[in-house]
Amino acid sequence: MKYASEASKGRAAEVAARSGVPASAPEEQHGTRNRVARSILDHGPSTAAELALRLELTQAAVRRHLDTLVADGVVEPREKRVYGARGRGRPAKVFALTDCGRDAFDQAYDKLAVDALRWIEQSAGGGEAGRAAVAAFARARLAAQAEGYRGAVEAAAPGRRTEALAGALSADGYAATARSAPVGEQLCQHHCPVAHAAERYPQLCEAETEVFSQLLGTHVQRLATIAHGDGVCTTFVPKTGKVEKTDTSTTKTTTASASTAGRNPE
């Protein structure tokens, strides 16, 4: 899906002239710019170097497109998060989609979703009862959605279930990936089709986290969400059934707890 407005198309020739791009190639440039935006959607906040590598473009070309995307309000530069000890020098700059940028990707029904959830909340009387009604709806919705994921997760080997869940989520438009993390894995969703609704009704995120825990058979911890302004929805999945040797040559099985899940080791 193309993200650009007619106004941004109108600025394409001006940007091309400033950057030395032939004026005869605005549509080609627009197509490449869409690829840059889509790559950020699929992979999360990215540096110019990472985008250039993925898209097989020069960094100079990627930076020209990023300049236009920033000017259009589609992406924004951020300081790259560093986990653990920070090295010398300034952190690399990453580019993340803005709310405006996300709006162009499969979020046309957000207003309808928010209106429906508001009706549920008000019909239940508002207040605590209203929030409980929304939570019940969110759980029912996610439970039905989870049935489509259960087969893929249960068919996967125990060590590949997070990866299998990521694949099932991606098929539903969440652009999800699984990656190793200290003492566990991280399930990352680079896109959320209901991000605006979840910003107003966090019960959607809470129900989703509960479903992930049920599907994976372990406690999980939500570390970040797009709905709260983070670049990626990140869920920590601790390792379970880990066997460790003790000083007395015996073994014990340990499971990450809610109090330690998701923390990077000091």
Side-chain angles (χ1 to χ4, degrees):
M1 181 182 294
K2 293 186 177 180
Y3 69 86
S5 63
E6 291 301 318
S8 67
K9 292 180 183 178
R11 288 196 292 271
E14 178 184 351
V15 174
R18 291 201 307 267
S19 59
V21 176
S24 60
E27 287 302 318
E28 180 180 347
Q29 292 299 310
H30 180 64
T32 303
R33 201 161 298 135
N34 282 326
R35 289 176 59 213
V36 173
R38 181 74 204 192
S39 184
I40 295 173
L41 172 72
D42 289 341
H43 297 276
S46 306
T47 65
E50 290 168 344
L51 289 163
L53 183 64
R54 286 199 297 264
L55 300 174
E56 298 182 345
L57 298 170
T58 65
Q59 289 193 43
V62 168
R63 290 187 184 281
R64 286 198 296 268
H65 291 302
L66 287 171
D67 286 344
T68 304
L69 291 167
V70 170
D72 287 345
V74 175
V75 304
E76 61 183 1
R78 297 179 180 177
E79 183 175 294
K80 187 174 184 178
R81 286 186 176 182
V82 177
Y83 298 97
R86 175 176 290 184
R88 294 183 178 180
R90 299 179 61 183
K93 182 186 295 184
V94 297
F95 295 84
L97 285 180
T98 62
D99 286 343
C100 175
R102 291 185 185 281
D103 281 344
F105 293 97
D106 307 323
Q107 295 191 155
Y109 297 103
D110 269 356
K111 186 178 184 302
L112 176 62
V114 170
D115 287 346
L117 290 170
R118 183 181 298 114
W119 184 89
I120 292 172
E121 182 179 38
Q122 293 174 350
S123 295
E128 188 62 34
R131 288 189 289 272
V134 172
F137 166 81
R139 291 192 186 95
R141 173 184 176 273
L142 266 297
Q145 189 174 332
E147 288 307 307
Y149 306 154
R150 191 176 304 280
V153 173
E154 292 182 350
R160 305 293 295 272
R161 288 182 175 175
T162 303
E163 182 181 346
L165 178 55
L169 287 165
S170 291
D172 255 1
Y174 288 86
T177 58
R179 64 189 184 193
S180 296
V183 301
E185 296 176 287
Q186 284 187 353
L187 176 64
C188 301
Q189 296 157 264
H190 302 286
H191 180 51
C192 177
V194 295
H196 289 314
E199 182 179 358
R200 173 66 179 82
Y201 293 100
Q203 294 96 323
L204 295 173
C205 295
E206 293 164 5
E208 184 179 72
T209 304
E210 291 175 8
V211 162
F212 289 170
S213 178
Q214 293 164 8
L215 287 172
L216 297 173
T218 183
H219 165 79
V220 301
Q221 182 180 15
R222 186 58 63 92
L223 303 180
T225 63
I226 292 170
H228 290 125
D230 298 296
V232 180
C233 292
T234 305
T235 304
F236 176 76
V237 182
K239 289 181 181 177
T240 58
K242 181 179 178 181
V243 177
E244 299 178 342
K245 288 188 177 181
T246 66
D247 292 338
T248 58
S249 300
T250 60
T251 61
K252 63 179 181 178
T253 301
T254 60
T255 302
S257 68
S259 62
T260 59
R263 293 183 184 174
N264 289 326
E266 295 296 335

PDB file of all heavy atoms in Angstrom, residues 235-254:
ATOM      1  N   THR A 235       7.816  -8.624  23.317  1.00  0.00           N
ATOM      2  CA  THR A 235       7.400  -9.522  24.397  1.00  0.00           C
ATOM      3  C   THR A 235       8.557 -10.442  24.740  1.00  0.00           C
ATOM      4  O   THR A 235       9.116 -11.103  23.854  1.00  0.00           O
ATOM      5  CB  THR A 235       6.184 -10.365  23.977  1.00  0.00           C
ATOM      6  OG1 THR A 235       5.125  -9.486  23.570  1.00  0.00           O
ATOM      7  CG2 THR A 235       5.702 -11.227  25.136  1.00  0.00           C
ATOM      8  N   PHE A 236       8.916 -10.487  26.005  1.00  0.00           N
ATOM      9  CA  PHE A 236      10.002 -11.355  26.460  1.00  0.00           C
ATOM     10  C   PHE A 236       9.446 -12.737  26.787  1.00  0.00           C
ATOM     11  O   PHE A 236       8.458 -12.864  27.509  1.00  0.00           O
ATOM     12  CB  PHE A 236      10.685 -10.768  27.688  1.00  0.00           C
ATOM     13  CG  PHE A 236      11.748 -11.665  28.270  1.00  0.00           C
ATOM     14  CD1 PHE A 236      12.977 -11.795  27.663  1.00  0.00           C
ATOM     15  CD2 PHE A 236      11.496 -12.396  29.425  1.00  0.00           C
ATOM     16  CE1 PHE A 236      13.948 -12.629  28.181  1.00  0.00           C
ATOM     17  CE2 PHE A 236      12.455 -13.232  29.955  1.00  0.00           C
ATOM     18  CZ  PHE A 236      13.693 -13.350  29.332  1.00  0.00           C
ATOM     19  N   VAL A 237      10.084 -13.759  26.237  1.00  0.00           N
ATOM     20  CA  VAL A 237       9.695 -15.148  26.478  1.00  0.00           C
ATOM     21  C   VAL A 237      10.865 -15.836  27.178  1.00  0.00           C
ATOM     22  O   VAL A 237      11.890 -16.099  26.563  1.00  0.00           O
ATOM     23  CB  VAL A 237       9.368 -15.887  25.166  1.00  0.00           C
ATOM     24  CG1 VAL A 237       8.910 -17.312  25.458  1.00  0.00           C
ATOM     25  CG2 VAL A 237       8.318 -15.129  24.363  1.00  0.00           C
ATOM     26  N   PRO A 238      10.755 -16.110  28.476  1.00  0.00           N
ATOM     27  CA  PRO A 238      11.887 -16.704  29.197  1.00  0.00           C
ATOM     28  C   PRO A 238      12.117 -18.152  28.815  1.00  0.00           C
ATOM     29  O   PRO A 238      11.209 -18.854  28.383  1.00  0.00           O
ATOM     30  CB  PRO A 238      11.454 -16.585  30.666  1.00  0.00           C
ATOM     31  CG  PRO A 238       9.963 -16.641  30.605  1.00  0.00           C
ATOM     32  CD  PRO A 238       9.581 -15.909  29.345  1.00  0.00           C
ATOM     33  N   LYS A 239      13.347 -18.579  28.980  1.00  0.00           N
ATOM     34  CA  LYS A 239      13.649 -19.985  28.799  1.00  0.00           C
ATOM     35  C   LYS A 239      13.067 -20.759  29.968  1.00  0.00           C
ATOM     36  O   LYS A 239      13.107 -20.315  31.104  1.00  0.00           O
ATOM     37  CB  LYS A 239      15.164 -20.210  28.750  1.00  0.00           C
ATOM     38  CG  LYS A 239      15.827 -19.695  27.491  1.00  0.00           C
ATOM     39  CD  LYS A 239      17.308 -19.985  27.507  1.00  0.00           C
ATOM     40  CE  LYS A 239      17.989 -19.461  26.251  1.00  0.00           C
ATOM     41  NZ  LYS A 239      19.452 -19.683  26.278  1.00  0.00           N
ATOM     42  N   THR A 240      12.529 -21.920  29.680  1.00  0.00           N
ATOM     43  CA  THR A 240      11.995 -22.771  30.742  1.00  0.00           C
ATOM     44  C   THR A 240      12.656 -24.138  30.670  1.00  0.00           C
ATOM     45  O   THR A 240      13.144 -24.544  29.616  1.00  0.00           O
ATOM     46  CB  THR A 240      10.475 -22.954  30.604  1.00  0.00           C
ATOM     47  OG1 THR A 240      10.197 -23.519  29.320  1.00  0.00           O
ATOM     48  CG2 THR A 240       9.759 -21.617  30.745  1.00  0.00           C
ATOM     49  N   GLY A 241      12.668 -24.817  31.824  1.00  0.00           N
ATOM     50  CA  GLY A 241      13.246 -26.143  31.855  1.00  0.00           C
ATOM     51  C   GLY A 241      14.727 -26.152  31.585  1.00  0.00           C
ATOM     52  O   GLY A 241      15.283 -27.092  31.036  1.00  0.00           O
ATOM     53  N   LYS A 242      15.419 -25.076  31.951  1.00  0.00           N
ATOM     54  CA  LYS A 242      16.857 -24.990  31.735  1.00  0.00           C
ATOM     55  C   LYS A 242      17.582 -25.799  32.800  1.00  0.00           C
ATOM     56  O   LYS A 242      17.344 -25.642  33.996  1.00  0.00           O
ATOM     57  CB  LYS A 242      17.304 -23.531  31.793  1.00  0.00           C
ATOM     58  CG  LYS A 242      18.794 -23.357  31.550  1.00  0.00           C
ATOM     59  CD  LYS A 242      19.162 -21.865  31.599  1.00  0.00           C
ATOM     60  CE  LYS A 242      20.653 -21.674  31.416  1.00  0.00           C
ATOM     61  NZ  LYS A 242      21.037 -20.253  31.481  1.00  0.00           N
ATOM     62  N   VAL A 243      18.484 -26.665  32.379  1.00  0.00           N
ATOM     63  CA  VAL A 243      19.207 -27.518  33.314  1.00  0.00           C
ATOM     64  C   VAL A 243      20.572 -26.924  33.599  1.00  0.00           C
ATOM     65  O   VAL A 243      21.331 -26.605  32.692  1.00  0.00           O
ATOM     66  CB  VAL A 243      19.362 -28.949  32.745  1.00  0.00           C
ATOM     67  CG1 VAL A 243      20.172 -29.817  33.697  1.00  0.00           C
ATOM     68  CG2 VAL A 243      18.002 -29.557  32.477  1.00  0.00           C
ATOM     69  N   GLU A 244      20.888 -26.738  34.865  1.00  0.00           N
ATOM     70  CA  GLU A 244      22.151 -26.153  35.281  1.00  0.00           C
ATOM     71  C   GLU A 244      22.879 -27.100  36.224  1.00  0.00           C
ATOM     72  O   GLU A 244      22.257 -27.743  37.073  1.00  0.00           O
ATOM     73  CB  GLU A 244      21.915 -24.817  35.997  1.00  0.00           C
ATOM     74  CG  GLU A 244      21.241 -23.763  35.125  1.00  0.00           C
ATOM     75  CD  GLU A 244      21.004 -22.499  35.920  1.00  0.00           C
ATOM     76  OE1 GLU A 244      21.037 -22.564  37.171  1.00  0.00           O
ATOM     77  OE2 GLU A 244      20.800 -21.466  35.293  1.00  0.00           O
ATOM     78  N   LYS A 245      24.198 -27.166  36.111  1.00  0.00           N
ATOM     79  CA  LYS A 245      24.998 -27.970  37.027  1.00  0.00           C
ATOM     80  C   LYS A 245      25.357 -27.159  38.259  1.00  0.00           C
ATOM     81  O   LYS A 245      25.662 -25.985  38.167  1.00  0.00           O
ATOM     82  CB  LYS A 245      26.274 -28.444  36.330  1.00  0.00           C
ATOM     83  CG  LYS A 245      26.008 -29.515  35.285  1.00  0.00           C
ATOM     84  CD  LYS A 245      27.316 -30.080  34.759  1.00  0.00           C
ATOM     85  CE  LYS A 245      27.033 -31.216  33.770  1.00  0.00           C
ATOM     86  NZ  LYS A 245      28.301 -31.797  33.269  1.00  0.00           N
ATOM     87  N   THR A 246      25.313 -27.794  39.400  1.00  0.00           N
ATOM     88  CA  THR A 246      25.673 -27.127  40.636  1.00  0.00           C
ATOM     89  C   THR A 246      27.077 -27.556  41.043  1.00  0.00           C
ATOM     90  O   THR A 246      27.688 -28.431  40.442  1.00  0.00           O
ATOM     91  CB  THR A 246      24.685 -27.494  41.755  1.00  0.00           C
ATOM     92  OG1 THR A 246      24.821 -28.881  42.034  1.00  0.00           O
ATOM     93  CG2 THR A 246      23.263 -27.184  41.342  1.00  0.00           C
ATOM     94  N   ASP A 247      27.603 -26.948  42.121  1.00  0.00           N
ATOM     95  CA  ASP A 247      28.947 -27.277  42.596  1.00  0.00           C
ATOM     96  C   ASP A 247      29.036 -28.709  43.101  1.00  0.00           C
ATOM     97  O   ASP A 247      30.110 -29.288  43.193  1.00  0.00           O
ATOM     98  CB  ASP A 247      29.348 -26.314  43.717  1.00  0.00           C
ATOM     99  CG  ASP A 247      29.529 -24.907  43.186  1.00  0.00           C
ATOM    100  OD1 ASP A 247      29.760 -24.774  41.969  1.00  0.00           O
ATOM    101  OD2 ASP A 247      29.426 -23.966  43.981  1.00  0.00           O
ATOM    102  N   THR A 248      27.901 -29.299  43.450  1.00  0.00           N
ATOM    103  CA  THR A 248      27.911 -30.655  43.993  1.00  0.00           C
ATOM    104  C   THR A 248      27.593 -31.688  42.916  1.00  0.00           C
ATOM    105  O   THR A 248      27.241 -32.823  43.210  1.00  0.00           O
ATOM    106  CB  THR A 248      26.881 -30.776  45.130  1.00  0.00           C
ATOM    107  OG1 THR A 248      25.597 -30.425  44.616  1.00  0.00           O
ATOM    108  CG2 THR A 248      27.247 -29.864  46.273  1.00  0.00           C
ATOM    109  N   SER A 249      27.716 -31.260  41.634  1.00  0.00           N
ATOM    110  CA  SER A 249      27.518 -32.142  40.483  1.00  0.00           C
ATOM    111  C   SER A 249      26.095 -32.651  40.361  1.00  0.00           C
ATOM    112  O   SER A 249      25.828 -33.642  39.697  1.00  0.00           O
ATOM    113  CB  SER A 249      28.483 -33.343  40.547  1.00  0.00           C
ATOM    114  OG  SER A 249      29.801 -32.882  40.531  1.00  0.00           O
ATOM    115  N   THR A 250      25.165 -31.997  41.044  1.00  0.00           N
ATOM    116  CA  THR A 250      23.753 -32.334  40.874  1.00  0.00           C
ATOM    117  C   THR A 250      23.158 -31.372  39.879  1.00  0.00           C
ATOM    118  O   THR A 250      23.804 -30.420  39.457  1.00  0.00           O
ATOM    119  CB  THR A 250      22.995 -32.240  42.217  1.00  0.00           C
ATOM    120  OG1 THR A 250      23.109 -30.906  42.698  1.00  0.00           O
ATOM    121  CG2 THR A 250      23.578 -33.208  43.219  1.00  0.00           C
ATOM    122  N   THR A 251      21.933 -31.601  39.484  1.00  0.00           N
ATOM    123  CA  THR A 251      21.282 -30.714  38.531  1.00  0.00           C
ATOM    124  C   THR A 251      19.994 -30.182  39.105  1.00  0.00           C
ATOM    125  O   THR A 251      19.402 -30.774  40.000  1.00  0.00           O
ATOM    126  CB  THR A 251      20.954 -31.455  37.211  1.00  0.00           C
ATOM    127  OG1 THR A 251      20.078 -32.527  37.507  1.00  0.00           O
ATOM    128  CG2 THR A 251      22.212 -31.963  36.541  1.00  0.00           C
ATOM    129  N   LYS A 252      19.596 -29.065  38.583  1.00  0.00           N
ATOM    130  CA  LYS A 252      18.318 -28.492  38.995  1.00  0.00           C
ATOM    131  C   LYS A 252      17.684 -27.806  37.802  1.00  0.00           C
ATOM    132  O   LYS A 252      18.361 -27.352  36.890  1.00  0.00           O
ATOM    133  CB  LYS A 252      18.501 -27.494  40.144  1.00  0.00           C
ATOM    134  CG  LYS A 252      19.348 -26.274  39.765  1.00  0.00           C
ATOM    135  CD  LYS A 252      19.453 -25.326  40.937  1.00  0.00           C
ATOM    136  CE  LYS A 252      20.283 -24.087  40.582  1.00  0.00           C
ATOM    137  NZ  LYS A 252      20.361 -23.145  41.692  1.00  0.00           N
ATOM    138  N   THR A 253      16.367 -27.718  37.807  1.00  0.00           N
ATOM    139  CA  THR A 253      15.643 -27.071  36.730  1.00  0.00           C
ATOM    140  C   THR A 253      15.152 -25.720  37.220  1.00  0.00           C
ATOM    141  O   THR A 253      14.593 -25.607  38.296  1.00  0.00           O
ATOM    142  CB  THR A 253      14.428 -27.926  36.311  1.00  0.00           C
ATOM    143  OG1 THR A 253      14.911 -29.198  35.892  1.00  0.00           O
ATOM    144  CG2 THR A 253      13.670 -27.255  35.176  1.00  0.00           C
ATOM    145  N   THR A 254      15.383 -24.688  36.407  1.00  0.00           N
ATOM    146  CA  THR A 254      14.997 -23.340  36.797  1.00  0.00           C
ATOM    147  C   THR A 254      14.063 -22.766  35.751  1.00  0.00           C
ATOM    148  O   THR A 254      14.159 -23.069  34.574  1.00  0.00           O
ATOM    149  CB  THR A 254      16.229 -22.424  36.921  1.00  0.00           C
ATOM    150  OG1 THR A 254      16.877 -22.368  35.653  1.00  0.00           O
ATOM    151  CG2 THR A 254      17.193 -22.936  37.958  1.00  0.00           C
TER     152      THR A 254
END
